[in-house]
Structure formats: C-alpha cells, structure tokens
Amino acid sequence: MTRRYPGKTRLPLLFGIIAALAVLSIQASAAPLRRMELKFTEFTVENGLSYNSVIDICQDTTGTMWFATTDGLNKFNGHDITIYRHKHDDPTSIPSNSLHKIKMDTAHILWVCTSNGLAYYDAIADVFRKADIPGAISIEDMVQIDSTRFLIATRNASFIYDKADGSSYEFRIDDAPLVFYSACRDGDNIIICTRWRFIETMHVKDGKLCRKYEPMKIPRFGVIPLPAGDETYYIGTKGAGLLKADVKHGTFKKIDIGHDGWFQIFALAFDTDGKTWVGTQDGLMILD
C-alpha cells in the first residue's frame, strides 16, 4: 500500500530533511504513525538552514543531525543550526561548500564528500581534516570496506583509501575504472550502483575487494540502494522509479507506486515499524 504526501517538484531534495524529522518524531511514539497523524517541521534558509536543497542527512552518536547542502554543511543540535562553509585562508575549514554525501564510519567519525575532496570532522577541535588522495577531486560517495579502508568514488574513477596510514590507490575492475555515485554496505556485501546502469555486488576476500556476483543491468541509473533482506535491495532510480533487485540471481522487479514512465527517487529509509520512506520527485511516500 502506498500513501502519498504531495510535494513541490522544484525542491525535491528538501523532502529528505522533512522525512528525517518525521522519522525522529515517529520513533518517539509509534501511535502517530498508526493513525498517520504526522507532524512535519520545515527548515529553510528563512530559519537558519544554509540552503534549501538538502542533499544528504546523517545523525551522529550524540543525536546531532547533519544536513549536507550545495552551499555548506549544517549541524543541528535540536535548538540551533551551525553552518560550516569553506574559507580560502583556512586549511581546516570544510574543503568545499558543495557537498555530495556525508557518512558516519564505524568509529563514529563524520566524513564529508565534497566537490573539492574528502575530509573528516575533528569534533574535539571543531575543524575538518582533509584526506590526501592524489587524483581524487570531486568525491561523489564513499563506502567503508573494513575498520580502516574505504572505497571512494569520483566522477572518473574509484580509490581505496586507508585512514590508518593515509595511503590510497585507484581501484579497477576488469582492468577498467569503476565509476559509481551511490553504494551501501550490507553485512559482507558492498552494493554499488555504477554509471553504466549496473548493480555490482562486491565483498572482501583474502583482504581484497572482489566481485561476488555477476553485475546486473537495470533500466535506469541507480541513485540509492537500500538493503531489503536476503541479498535483495531496494534501488531508487533516476527515471525508472523504485526497483527491488535480487543480486544473487540477477533479477529485479519494479515496485508499483502509481507512476508510469519517467519517475525519480531521491531518498530511501526504513523506520522502526518496518515501513519504507521514499522521497520522490512528487513528494514523500510510505510503503507498508
């Protein structure tokens, strides 16, 4: 069953922040979700946000919410918003105002993928430390491989970066560059949506990142993958709506959400009641 909440196409990415705040409210009390009495709080530039287009959202271990935009990083402690922007004369400022993704690693360190490199947030000093990855400029996404290593995506190649010693090297598959813009970790699996409309399933074998299953083709570019259990994944696409992919058998099915033709998914998330929140070009949906 699909429930739709109308939205404005001109600001589709703002639904991510609205959905996150709604989920937090739902987690505090399950009753509002059962009655569908959802309370939405909107944050815009008028009440403190650095920019209205929110690209990514992350919550740290203190409960602080982080919002990545195309004009700065926002930290929300429940009362106030602190904005981090790049300063040309400060090497400890965020590398760029244009952010693509923000990720929390298993050591609870916040990483920012920006148009001018990768950096992590030093919470004690309240500064950013840039990762030196030769050849990696515009960082599109990152996924953690193990306790210290990450797979880093750029527009033309991918790199494996080790935060323990700061080393890095280009990662290739089938002797060709791996180019992707979204990925997720699911147990031993690393699910990657490539530029060529493939879903790659990788895992670590003998300390090396290897292909686990043959890549599977999907109709449109995958924007975001989300684990759905038993090596199946929801894939939000740019133009083909929502898919459910079985990577082991190389098959997928389209989830009917009442749209034909071109339909974009911008965000996917689960809540504690097992429902799937879907941020789309036409608004926010909930799949039971």
Side-chain angles (χ1 to χ4, degrees), residues 5-21:
Y5 297 85
K8 296 181 179 179
T9 304
R10 59 189 175 90
L11 286 177
L13 293 176
L14 188 56
F15 292 114
I17 183 172
I18 298 174
L21 293 170

Side-chain angles (χ1 to χ4, degrees), residues 245-264:
D246 181 338
V247 297
K248 185 175 182 179
H249 298 97
T251 60
F252 70 87
K253 63 179 181 179
K254 187 172 181 179
I255 305 297
D256 183 12
I257 48 180
H259 282 263
D260 295 322
W262 184 269
F263 190 58
Q264 298 189 71

Side-chain angles (χ1 to χ4, degrees), residues 36-150:
M36 296 310 298
E37 297 173 0
L38 302 180
K39 180 180 180 181
F40 290 87
T41 301
E42 184 175 8
F43 289 88
T44 68
V45 293
E46 295 181 356
N47 54 4
L49 202 65
S50 67
Y51 198 69
N52 282 343
S53 292
V54 176
I55 307 300
D56 204 6
I57 299 171
C58 185
Q59 185 176 31
D60 64 26
T61 54
T62 69
T64 299
M65 299 296 298
W66 296 82
F67 307 123
T69 78
T70 52
D71 187 23
L73 177 67
N74 298 254
K75 179 173 69 174
F76 178 59
N77 63 8
H79 301 282
D80 304 305
I81 294 177
T82 302
I83 299 173
Y84 295 91
R85 285 193 174 98
H86 176 68
K87 300 177 182 178
H88 295 290
D89 57 348
D90 184 0
T92 65
S93 68
I94 197 166
S96 170
N97 292 334
S98 179
L99 283 82
H100 299 147
K101 293 286 179 69
I102 49 177
K103 295 290 181 75
M104 187 73 63
D105 70 14
T106 56
H108 310 302
I109 296 173
L110 181 75
W111 294 79
V112 292
C113 303
T114 82
S115 61
N116 190 35
L118 176 70
Y120 70 89
Y121 177 63
D122 183 338
I124 296 176
D126 193 29
V127 297
F128 291 85
R129 311 291 186 187
K130 191 171 182 178
D132 184 17
I133 308 176
I137 300 175
S138 182
I139 310 298
E140 303 297 325
D141 199 1
M142 66 183 293
V143 60
Q144 191 161 2
I145 299 172
D146 54 32
S147 60
T148 65
R149 294 184 300 165
F150 302 86

Side-chain angles (χ1 to χ4, degrees), residues 221-268:
F221 171 70
V223 177
I224 182 169
L226 182 70
D230 196 25
E231 294 193 309
T232 63
Y233 301 87
Y234 289 116
I235 307 293
T237 73
K238 186 177 182 180
L242 183 63
L243 309 177
K244 191 173 185 180
D246 181 338
V247 297
K248 185 175 182 179
H249 298 97
T251 60
F252 70 87
K253 63 179 181 179
K254 187 172 181 179
I255 305 297
D256 183 12
I257 48 180
H259 282 263
D260 295 322
W262 184 269
F263 190 58
Q264 298 189 71
I265 306 294
F266 294 100
L268 293 172

